[in-house]
């Protein structure tokens, strides 16, 4: 049999492959699709003379561009804007929070939080912690959680059970599962005082559970019988320190203390509640590790929360737990370093500068205001200061009824409307408090 002639060598095929891929990339970038309009979502920052995105600590802001026939990619399922845009202008997206403000600090820490995990490690579902309750909790993480809370003085850890979860979102669902009655009484109502975290209603009702359901604003809740109240303190979106609102004997409380750290608010007391939720994304800025933890007083509640996580994800990533343990150790170690600023001091300074600029901008603006906070002494930092939240809760004045619509249509700025937080349309939440956001605020005057 004759040999097949060798027409194309591997070098020819490589060149051909590169050419095809390059042409496809150009096609995508140009937005061409057989003559039809399309939209491109870019994750790169827009750099202009008026809005400098490259300053210290700023994150990479997503930019959404659409054509007259296209629609944005923002999903209403996560309380984001999901309407068709009317023009091809680029839009500044200030809706979402992403803790990139901490990036510079952790870069400067170098290899302090670097770790090498061998391929044979983390094979088992089970952690070597002799913990019959939360059997997937890494002992090193448990140790560092207890340590950092003792260092900061923001939560009681003695005689508490630690339950680790994939972020505080999973722990919230686990707490609802654990605290709801498992009988024929019907779903228990879950309430929170408005403005509440916009994802609470969505998370509560997403599975249409027969155990619990969203019951609305705790301030106006009147139904009789058992209920679960979410107390977020400091609160997302407005940064206010919260207490329970309904205050009835049949109420069950979950305290979401994700922002109860000294860079956001003065630590005035050691939190001591039945169920307290924390997360690495807010405490240290490591949102991508997806680790949260609950401090639980009642053993049976902690068991049921563990049961939910076992059913939901068969545990929590060991690699992420080990990484967060390493980060928390670095944070606690920095607090004992007398020759350099601690992590919390660095973070406090960054938030202080941003809020100082934001307040200056709001004073010269007639159409927009931000909340006023009372100063308190922080037991950890030893300073008296006002809360300086990670978000800005903005109110439109001068007759602007729908603040989100006004900013979107008149200023090409995407924010989250107050309606998603159970509040008035005159409010919006600005995500990611940084210099880019403050510069846009200056342009609203």
């Amino acid at each position: 049999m004759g040999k097949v002639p060798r027409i194309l060598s591997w070098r020819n095929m490589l060149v051909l492959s590169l050419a095809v891929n390059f042409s496809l990339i150009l096609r995508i970038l140009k937005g061409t699709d057989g003559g039809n309009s399309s939209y491109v979502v870019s994750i790169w920052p827009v750099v202009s003379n008026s809005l400098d995105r490259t300053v210290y600590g700023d994150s990479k802001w997503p930019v959404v561009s659409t054509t007259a026939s296209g629609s944005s990619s923002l999903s209403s399922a996560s309380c984001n804007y999901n309407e068709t845009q009317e023009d091809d202008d680029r839009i500044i997206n200030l809706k979402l929070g992403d803790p990139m403000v901490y990036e510079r600090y952790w870069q400067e820490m170098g290899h302090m939080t670097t770790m090498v995990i061998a391929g044979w490690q983390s094979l088992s579902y089970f952690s070597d912690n002799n913990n019959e309750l939360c059997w997937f909790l890494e002992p090193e993480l448990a140790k560092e959680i207890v340590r950092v809370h003792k260092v900061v003085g923001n939560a009681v850890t003695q005689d508490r059970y630690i339950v680790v979860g994939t972020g505080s979102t999973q722990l919230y669902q686990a707490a609802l599962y654990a605290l709801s009655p498992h009988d024929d009484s019907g779903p228990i109502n879950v309430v929170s005082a408005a403005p509440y975290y916009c994802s609470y209603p969505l998370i509560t009702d997403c599975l249409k559970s027969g155990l619990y359901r969203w019951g609305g604003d705790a301030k106006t809740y009147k139904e009789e019988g058992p209920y679960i109240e979410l107390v977020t303190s400091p609160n997302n979106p407005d940064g206010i320190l919260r207490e329970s609102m309904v205050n009835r004997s049949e109420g069950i409380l979950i305290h979401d203390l994700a922002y109860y750290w000294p860079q956001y608010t003065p630590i005035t007391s050691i939190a001591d509640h039945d169920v307290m939720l924390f997360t690495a994304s807010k405490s240290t800025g490591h949102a991508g590790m997806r680790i949260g933890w609950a401090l639980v007083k009642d053993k049976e509640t902690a068991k049921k929360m563990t049961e939910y996580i076992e059913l939901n994800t068969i545990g929590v990533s060991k690699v992420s737990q080990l990484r967060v343990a390493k980060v928390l150790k670095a944070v606690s170690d920095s607090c004992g370093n007398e020759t350099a600023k601690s992590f919390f001091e660095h973070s406090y300074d960054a938030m202080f500068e941003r809020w100082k600029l934001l307040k200056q901008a709001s004073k010269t603006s007639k159409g927009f205001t931000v909340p006023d906070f009372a100063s308190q002494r922080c037991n950890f930092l030893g300073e008296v200061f006002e809360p300086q939240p990670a978000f800005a809760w903005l109110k439109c004045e001068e007759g602007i009824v729908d603040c989100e619509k006004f900013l979107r249509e008149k200023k090409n700025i995407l924010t989250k409307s107050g309606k998603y937080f159970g509040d008035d349309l005159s409010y919006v939440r600005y995500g990611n408090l940084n210099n880019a956001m403050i510069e846009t605020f200056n342009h609203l005057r």
Side-chain angles (χ1 to χ4, degrees):
M1 182 180 294
K3 293 183 178 180
V4 177
R6 186 177 179 181
I7 300 173
L8 295 174
S9 69
W10 67 269
R11 292 183 179 85
N12 300 133
M13 295 300 295
L14 178 60
V15 172
L16 179 61
S17 175
L18 289 171
V20 171
N21 280 286
F22 185 69
S23 65
L24 288 173
I25 291 170
L26 287 176
R27 187 179 183 87
I28 293 171
L29 291 174
K30 291 179 180 179
T32 56
D33 186 17
N36 295 326
S37 299
S38 63
Y39 64 83
V40 178
V41 179
S42 170
I43 62 171
W44 299 106
V46 175
V47 179
S48 67
N49 292 331
S50 59
L51 299 177
D52 182 11
R53 313 291 167 106
T54 61
V55 296
Y56 171 84
D58 281 358
S59 62
K60 297 177 178 63
W61 291 93
V63 178
V64 181
S65 40
T66 64
T67 63
S69 61
S71 61
S72 77
S73 64
L74 298 175
S75 169
S76 61
S78 56
C79 49
N80 291 330
Y81 175 65
N82 193 31
E83 295 181 14
T84 302
Q85 302 296 330
E86 299 299 329
D87 53 45
D88 199 23
D89 292 338
R90 285 188 166 182
I91 297 172
I92 301 169
N93 189 346
L94 298 180
K95 297 182 71 169
L96 306 177
D98 200 18
M100 297 299 292
V101 66
Y102 301 111
E103 183 179 38
R104 176 63 64 86
Y105 176 84
W106 291 114
Q107 287 175 340
E108 291 175 352
M109 289 300 98
H111 296 293
M112 186 175 291
T113 55
T114 299
M115 60 188 307
V116 178
I117 300 176
W120 53 265
Q121 288 181 276
S122 303
L123 294 178
S124 174
Y125 287 108
F126 301 91
S127 295
D128 185 21
N129 60 5
N130 297 318
N131 187 334
E132 295 181 359
L133 197 150
C134 191
W135 50 266
F136 44 81
L137 171 63
E138 286 293 315
E140 193 65 24
L141 176 60
K143 183 180 78 171
E144 295 303 332
I145 286 172
V146 170
R147 184 186 176 202
V148 76
H149 282 301
K150 285 184 177 179
V151 167
V152 175
N154 63 339
V156 171
T157 57
Q158 187 174 358
D159 299 325
R160 293 297 191 276
Y161 300 94
I162 299 175
V163 180
V164 65
T166 305
S168 59
T169 298
Q170 187 184 43
L171 290 167
Y172 166 54
Q173 294 171 309
L176 292 181
Y177 173 83
L179 297 172
S180 299
H182 290 236
D183 53 27
D184 296 329
S185 60
I188 189 171
N189 283 319
V190 181
V191 299
S192 187
Y196 42 70
Y197 177 43
C198 66
S199 290
Y200 281 155
L202 299 172
I203 297 168
T204 304
D205 286 341
C206 68
L207 296 179
K208 308 297 181 185
S209 172
L211 298 177
Y212 48 82
R213 66 186 177 193
W214 181 248
D217 186 357
K219 294 176 183 176
T220 58
Y221 184 72
K222 301 296 183 183
E223 293 190 29
E224 299 295 328
Y227 64 92
I228 296 174
E229 182 178 355
L230 287 158
V231 182
T232 308
S233 185
N235 188 43
N236 179 356
D238 59 9
I240 302 295
L241 291 172
R242 287 281 189 83
E243 295 180 354
S244 60
M245 289 287 178
V246 183
N247 292 320
R248 295 197 209 132
S249 59
E250 295 179 282
I252 305 169
L253 302 182
I254 300 173
H255 282 79
D256 185 345
L257 306 181
Y259 293 97
Y260 193 50
W261 297 97
Q263 65 266 48
Y264 305 118
T265 191
I267 304 300
T268 57
S269 62
I270 303 174
D272 183 5
H273 306 290
D274 291 343
V275 179
M276 299 182 286
L277 307 182
F278 294 90
T279 173
S281 64
K282 309 305 185 297
S283 55
T284 69
H286 290 84
M289 293 187 189
R290 307 307 308 131
I291 291 293
W293 62 91
L295 302 177
V296 186
K297 184 180 292 186
D298 179 66
K299 185 176 182 178
E300 289 304 312
T301 301
K303 278 185 176 180
K304 288 183 179 180
M305 290 179 68
T306 301
E307 178 183 301
Y308 174 87
I309 295 171
E310 180 180 342
L311 293 170
N312 187 228
T313 51
I314 321 179
V316 177
S317 167
K318 286 187 176 183
V319 172
S320 290
Q321 290 189 63
L322 293 173
R323 289 190 64 198
V324 170
K326 188 85 169 179
V327 168
L328 292 180
K329 182 179 186 304
V331 168
S332 296
D333 288 347
S334 74
C335 296
N337 187 347
E338 298 181 357
T339 62
K341 286 185 177 181
S342 70
F343 165 78
F344 292 115
E345 289 171 326
H346 273 277
S347 304
Y348 167 85
D349 289 345
M351 299 304 297
F352 177 82
E353 289 301 319
R354 283 157 175 73
W355 269 97
K356 182 176 72 173
L357 294 173
L358 182 61
K359 289 174 183 176
Q360 289 174 352
S362 66
K363 286 180 180 178
T364 58
S365 171
K366 297 180 180 179
F368 305 90
T369 57
V370 293
D372 290 323
F373 300 104
S375 297
Q376 291 181 292
R377 186 183 186 277
C378 178
N379 296 333
F380 174 75
L381 293 175
E383 301 285 344
V384 176
F385 62 94
E386 298 177 10
Q388 39 197 37
F391 301 103
W393 188 235
L394 186 74
K395 184 179 182 181
C396 286
E397 306 287 355
E398 296 187 332
I400 300 174
V401 176
D402 190 335
C403 193
E404 183 273 336
K405 183 179 180 181
F406 172 80
L407 293 174
R408 170 170 45 86
E409 294 183 351
K410 303 297 183 181
K411 304 296 182 178
N412 284 342
I413 299 173
L414 291 182
T415 57
K416 281 188 180 179
S417 172
K419 67 181 180 181
Y420 295 118
F421 303 88
D423 213 326
D424 193 81
L425 289 174
S426 62
Y427 288 94
V428 295
R429 192 194 73 174
Y430 266 35
N432 268 358
L433 181 64
N434 62 16
N435 289 355
M437 190 208 75
I438 294 164
E439 286 297 324
T440 62
F441 194 95
N442 283 324
H443 285 270
L444 297 180
R445 290 180 283 177

